[in-house]
Amino acid sequence: MTLTVALAADHGGFDLKQQLLTWLQNQEYKVLDLGAHELNPSDDYSDFAQAVSQAVAQGQAERGILLCGSGVGTCVAANKVAVIRACLCHDTYSAHQGVEHVDMNVLCLGARVIGLELAKELITAFLKARFSGEERHRRRLKKVLSLEKGAGQGGI
Ligand code: RB5
C-alpha cells in the first residue's frame, strides 16, 4: 500500500519543505502538499500544523511531516489535535523508535537547525518504521490516549 504523507511548513521551513517535496515525490510515497505554497514571512506555523494534523486525524494521510524554524512551534500546535502524536526528532533513532514504540504519526523538523541530507535520513527512518503492536507498547499508548480524553484533568 502506498503511504500518503501530508507535508507543510511555515516561512521558517519553506525552502527546506520545497526541496523535500521534490525528493519525496520521487520516492514511493503519495504527498499532500498542504503549504505554504509561496514564501510569506508573516505566515503562522499553527495554520500548517492544523492542516497536517487534520489530514492525518481525518485519514487523508497516514503520516505527517511539519517544518518550521526550530520544529518546536509546529510540534506544540500539532499535539493539540486529538490522535496526533507529533515529535521533534533530529536524530534517526528517535525518528523510527518514536513510531515503533509510541505510534508517532507526525514528524516535526527544524529547518534552521538541520540540513537537507539529515532531513532526508530522518524522514526515511520515520516513514519506513511501523508500530510494533507489542502489548507493553499498546498498554502505554492506551494510557497516553486516556490523558487525551481528560484523565490528566481529573477525568476518566
Ligand atoms: C518563525 O519565525 C518561527 O518562530 C517558527 O518557524 C518556529 O520556529 C516556531 O517554533
Side-chain angles (χ1 to χ4, degrees):
M1 189 193 79
T2 306
L3 208 67
T4 302
V5 181
L7 175 70
D10 75 348
H11 58 280
F14 178 77
D15 288 340
L16 185 56
K17 191 267 282 181
Q18 293 306 97
Q19 292 175 284
L20 291 169
L21 174 62
T22 307
W23 174 73
L24 271 168
Q25 284 168 336
N26 290 319
Q27 311 285 307
E28 73 264 37
Y29 307 109
K30 184 173 169 210
V31 187
L32 300 180
D33 177 10
L34 300 179
H37 300 295
E38 60 187 31
L39 180 61
N40 172 2
S42 302
D43 65 11
D44 299 327
Y45 62 79
S46 47
D47 294 332
F48 302 100
Q50 181 181 1
V52 164
S53 298
Q54 286 180 343
V56 173
Q58 293 167 5
Q60 288 137 20
E62 284 85 31
R63 299 279 176 92
I65 299 171
L66 281 164
L67 296 100
C68 62
S70 63
V72 173
T74 49
C75 188
V76 168
N79 279 308
K80 300 297 179 191
V81 176
V83 313
I84 295 304
R85 291 173 292 281
C87 305
L88 170 55
C89 300
H90 285 168
D91 70 277
T92 53
Y93 176 76
S94 303
H96 68 80
Q97 195 256 21
V99 177
E100 292 156 0
H101 289 204
V102 189
D103 207 12
M104 168 173 79
N105 49 18
V106 174
L107 175 69
C108 299
L109 300 173
R112 293 175 184 157
V113 184
I114 60 165
L116 176 61
E117 295 308 319
L118 179 54
K120 287 179 185 173
E121 289 191 17
L122 293 163
I123 290 171
T124 301
F126 169 61
L127 294 180
K128 297 235 175 274
R130 297 290 177 271
F131 181 55
S132 76
E134 287 177 33
E135 192 281 331
R136 66 198 164 112
H137 296 149
R138 281 189 282 111
R139 182 182 72 240
R140 291 162 191 161
L141 191 53
K142 201 170 154 194
K143 290 181 181 179
V144 172
L145 293 173
S146 79
L147 289 173
E148 191 171 83
K149 291 187 182 125
Q153 287 82 44
I156 37 171

